[in-house]
């Protein structure tokens, strides 16, 4: 293809790449997007969307049980894994088609091929060998599961990618990891009836989240039957005649039918040609970019998980949009990565935004903490021993709510709205001025009156 026949080549048709391509094309740019696997990327094909469908499936078991307290008599419910997976796959195929159609409608050319950088100006489509020299290149190749340091038997271990396509539901599964993907899959398999052991090397799951939230979630998940083993790692996996033996760092052994690792993800750049193009790497992180997502090579940009900033779909989408506005829309736009609300679709669910109590104490002179734990109304007749947890972290000087942490049903839905208030710099007094919606769990957000704790940093001598 002749020089600059294209304004933009986007590499990777995931959350960020698709948005960037469509918006750039909308500004009149001639755009090609290359995808080596399936259009939609991690989120649509093997991330958020299929995961949430499995989460929904896993929650029915408790609903069936709880219905009895409300007068319902049900026949013994039966679950069929292949039906769930087939239905999930059908929905994912529909979404993939919708993404492809939207790209075509926007006038974006799609190349179903791996693409690599030959040099700073040349993109090669591996499937055809064709080379392209566009005006701009956007790297949006995302990230892939990382398995940690090699251990004997690692070839028997699956990642979240394979978990979506198992032939049958494992009766017993060991999941190593303490991040949100490990915790969510532990909840999914537990809800669907597997015996789940969650092994995490740190002292508690969900590192980086608020400590009270972590403690609360661990205790609730344990009540639901997930065996959580902290402070240990899997040192080897051995195949036996009918199962696997996972050996732990304390020499104990757990016999399971599947072993899954969710210990981290790593940017998709292997063999991609970053060095050939002179694109700089931020050590231990991802592709180095400035606030406008520009790399060390001025006409090459990078967005989403490959830059390892905040690895969430809405962030990748926002970065893709901002890139197109900046480069083709004449509106330089930096994405604000502060106070991004997020959910963990565990059971019970987690929603969080802003600073943890520990972070607030490091940054602020005065911190007030409001928290409560209670049994949601629905759990009373269901006779289920499940407690929700709400916490507000407040700047003791300005009164601003700087963090909110929720564990309980619909926490993800709630935190989206709390996120608006936090972004608008709402104070505790603003929340208190709102009249409660009763009876809900969310009303706790506007009815917590008593400070649970006040931290005051001593003035320097
Ligand atoms: C199990 C799981 C659950 C998740 N759940 C959530 C959630 O609930 N909420 C949330 O916000 N986020 C979630 N995420 C994270 C979210 O999926 C990612 O943050 C998001 O997809 C990142 O978008 P991206 O555009 O950077 O990359 P991706 O969506 O990963 O897209 C990158 C694309 O590039 C392609 N590609 C890679 N290299 C090349 C190449 N050389 N040539 C051509 N194509 C290439 C890949 O095949 C892929 O399609 C989850 C992730 C996982 C794994």
């Amino acid at each position: 293809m002749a020089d600059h026949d294209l304004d933009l080549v986007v590499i990777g048709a995931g959350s960020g790449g698709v948005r960037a391509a469509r918006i750039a094309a909308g500004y009149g740019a001639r755009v090609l997007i290359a995808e080596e696997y399936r259009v939609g990327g991690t989120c649509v094909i093997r991330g958020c969307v299929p995961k949430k469908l499995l989460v929904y499936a896993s929650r029915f078991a408790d609903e069936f049980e709880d219905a009895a307290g409300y007068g319902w008599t049900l026949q013994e419910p039966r679950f069929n894994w292949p039906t769930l997976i087939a239905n999930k796959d059908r929905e994912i195929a529909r979404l993939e088609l919708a993404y492809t159609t939207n790209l075509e409608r926007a006038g974006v050319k799609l190349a179903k091929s791996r693409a690599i950088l030959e040099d700073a100006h040349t993109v090669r489509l591996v499937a055809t060998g064709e080379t392209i020299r566009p005006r701009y290149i956007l790297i949006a190749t995302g990230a892939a599961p990382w398995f940690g340091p090699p251990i004997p038997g690692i070839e028997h271990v699956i990642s979240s990618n394979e978990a979506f396509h198992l032939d049958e539901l494992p009766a017993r599964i060991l999941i190593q990891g303490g991040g949100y993907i490990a915790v969510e899959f532990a909840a999914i398999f537990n809800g669907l009836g597997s015996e789940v052991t969650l092994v995490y090397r740190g002292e508690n799951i969900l590192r980086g989240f608020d400590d009270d939230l972590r403690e609360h979630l661990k205790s609730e998940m344990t009540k639901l039957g997930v065996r959580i083993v902290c402070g240990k790692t899997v040192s080897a996996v051995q195949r036996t005649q009918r199962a696997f033996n996972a050996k732990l760092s304390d020499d104990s052994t757990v016999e399971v039918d599947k072993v899954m690792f969710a210990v981290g993800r790593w940017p998709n750049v292997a063999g991609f040609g970053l060095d050939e193009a002179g694109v700089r790497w931020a050590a231990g992180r991802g592709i180095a970019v400035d606030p406008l997502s520009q790399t060390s090579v001025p006409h090459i940009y990078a967005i989403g998980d490959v830059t390892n900033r905040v690895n969430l779909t809405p962030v990748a989408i926002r970065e893709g949009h901002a890139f197109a506005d900046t480069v083709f829309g004449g509106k330089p736009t930096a994405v604000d990565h502060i106070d991004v609300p997020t959910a963990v679709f565990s059971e019970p669910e987690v929603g969080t935004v802003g600073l943890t109590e520990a972070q607030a104490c490091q940054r602020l002179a005065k911190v007030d903490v409001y928290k409560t734990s209670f049994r949601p109304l629905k759990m009373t007749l269901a006779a289920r021993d499940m407690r929700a947890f709400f916490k507000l972290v407040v700047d003791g000087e300005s009164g601003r709510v700087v963090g909110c942490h929720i564990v309980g049903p619909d926490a993800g839905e709630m935190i989206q709205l709390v996120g608006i208030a936090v972004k608008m710099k709402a104070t505790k007094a603003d929340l208190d001025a709102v009249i409660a919606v009763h009876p809900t769990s969310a009303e706790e957000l506007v009815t917590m009156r008593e400070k649970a704790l006040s931290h005051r940093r001593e003035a320097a001598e």
Side-chain angles (χ1 to χ4, degrees), residues 22 97 99-110:
R22 281 182 40 219
L97 186 63
Y99 270 70
T100 308
T101 309
N102 284 343
L103 282 169
E104 284 165 1
R105 276 207 196 114
V108 175
K109 285 188 198 158
L110 173 63

Side-chain angles (χ1 to χ4, degrees), residues 6-25 29-41 99-104 106-115 123 125 130 132 134 136 138-141 303 323:
L6 285 170
D7 297 307
L8 171 67
V9 168
V10 178
I11 305 176
S15 307
V18 166
R19 173 60 69 94
R22 281 182 40 219
I23 302 301
R30 295 155 305 170
V31 184
L32 178 140
I33 190 165
E35 171 54 53
E36 68 176 354
Y37 182 53
R38 293 179 65 183
V39 174
Y99 270 70
T100 308
T101 309
N102 284 343
L103 282 169
E104 284 165 1
V108 175
K109 285 188 198 158
L110 173 63
K112 294 293 289 269
S113 169
R114 175 169 171 77
V123 176
L125 298 179
E130 185 184 0
I132 312 166
Y136 290 96
L138 178 66
I139 306 171
T141 52
I303 52 159
F323 156 80

Side-chain angles (χ1 to χ4, degrees), residues 124-458:
R124 184 154 64 86
L125 298 179
V126 175
T128 57
E130 185 184 0
T131 53
I132 312 166
R133 290 170 65 84
R135 281 174 60 217
Y136 290 96
I137 297 168
L138 178 66
I139 306 171
T141 52
W146 176 69
F147 284 86
I151 54 159
I154 191 74
E155 67 276 12
H156 304 308
V157 176
I158 63 164
S159 72
S160 57
N161 284 354
E162 293 74 43
F164 288 118
H165 296 286
L166 296 176
D167 291 336
E168 54 184 23
L169 179 70
R172 300 160 301 175
I173 185 166
L174 180 149
I175 301 175
Q176 175 163 242
Y180 78 92
I181 295 176
V183 166
E184 288 176 339
F185 273 94
I188 289 169
F189 284 115
N190 187 56
L192 293 177
S194 306
E195 197 181 293
V196 180
T197 305
L198 183 63
V199 177
Y200 177 54
R201 68 181 174 153
E203 65 187 25
N204 200 356
I205 54 174
L206 290 188
R207 184 163 65 93
F209 285 69
D210 183 83
D211 287 335
D212 281 336
L213 175 152
R214 297 166 77 192
E215 208 43 56
H216 191 89
L217 181 68
K218 185 180 177 199
S219 136
E220 290 298 319
M221 286 183 73
T222 304
K223 277 197 241 166
L224 286 169
V226 179
R227 186 176 158 238
I228 302 180
V229 180
C230 289
K232 292 183 188 147
T233 54
V234 177
S235 54
V237 178
Q238 226 175 23
R239 185 175 214 135
T240 62
Q241 240 175 356
R242 295 187 15 242
F244 296 99
N245 277 334
K247 198 173 149 207
L248 304 191
S249 42
D250 63 352
D251 279 343
S252 61
T253 299
V254 189
E255 193 191 60
V256 287
D257 304 292
K258 274 283 170 246
V259 180
M260 171 178 162
F261 280 10
V263 294
R265 293 174 62 78
W266 192 247
N268 273 326
V269 290
F272 180 66
L274 286 187
D275 288 344
E276 288 78 353
V279 173
R280 239 195 356 255
W281 182 258
R285 186 162 177 183
I287 293 180
V289 286
D290 73 4
L292 296 178
S293 296
Q294 190 173 31
T295 71
S296 52
V297 179
H299 64 278
I300 302 182
Y301 287 69
I303 52 159
D305 285 9
V306 77
T307 61
N308 215 344
R309 288 175 280 183
V310 178
N311 297 333
L312 292 169
T313 284
V315 176
I317 290 174
R318 190 61 73 87
E319 288 168 359
H321 202 123
F323 156 80
D325 285 346
T326 300
V327 174
F328 297 103
K331 290 179 282 184
T333 308
V335 172
D336 176 4
H337 292 99
I338 307 293
D339 291 337
V340 174
T342 184
V344 179
F345 297 101
S346 45
E347 182 57 36
E349 200 164 291
V350 164
T352 182
V353 64
L355 302 181
T356 65
E357 182 177 338
Q359 288 168 336
C361 288
Q362 275 168 6
R363 294 181 203 184
L364 304 171
K366 294 182 180 176
V367 177
D368 294 330
V369 176
Y370 297 78
K371 55 184 174 182
T372 179
S373 164
F374 59 96
R375 188 148 81 136
L377 182 60
K378 187 179 170 195
M379 302 303 158
T380 53
L381 294 199
R384 182 173 290 282
D385 174 25
M386 187 272 215
R387 297 187 74 77
F389 172 77
F390 281 67
K391 178 173 187 175
L392 291 175
V393 182
V394 177
D395 178 345
E397 283 184 333
S398 65
R400 221 191 116 191
V401 177
V402 292
C404 177
H405 311 281
I406 304 175
V407 183
D410 301 319
E413 303 291 340
M414 283 186 258
I415 209 70
Q416 179 69 82
L417 304 178
V418 178
I420 300 172
V422 169
K423 208 69 195 158
M424 292 177 75
K425 303 190 181 350
T427 61
K428 176 71 170 58
D430 291 326
L431 264 58
D432 293 346
V434 178
I435 290 180
V437 178
H438 185 72
T440 63
S441 289
E443 65 184 301
E444 297 298 328
L445 290 165
V446 297
T447 55
M448 281 190 273
R449 293 283 181 263
E450 298 295 319
K451 273 180 218 168
L453 278 166
S454 280
H455 302 278
R456 297 287 179 266
R457 194 186 290 158
E458 297 301 322

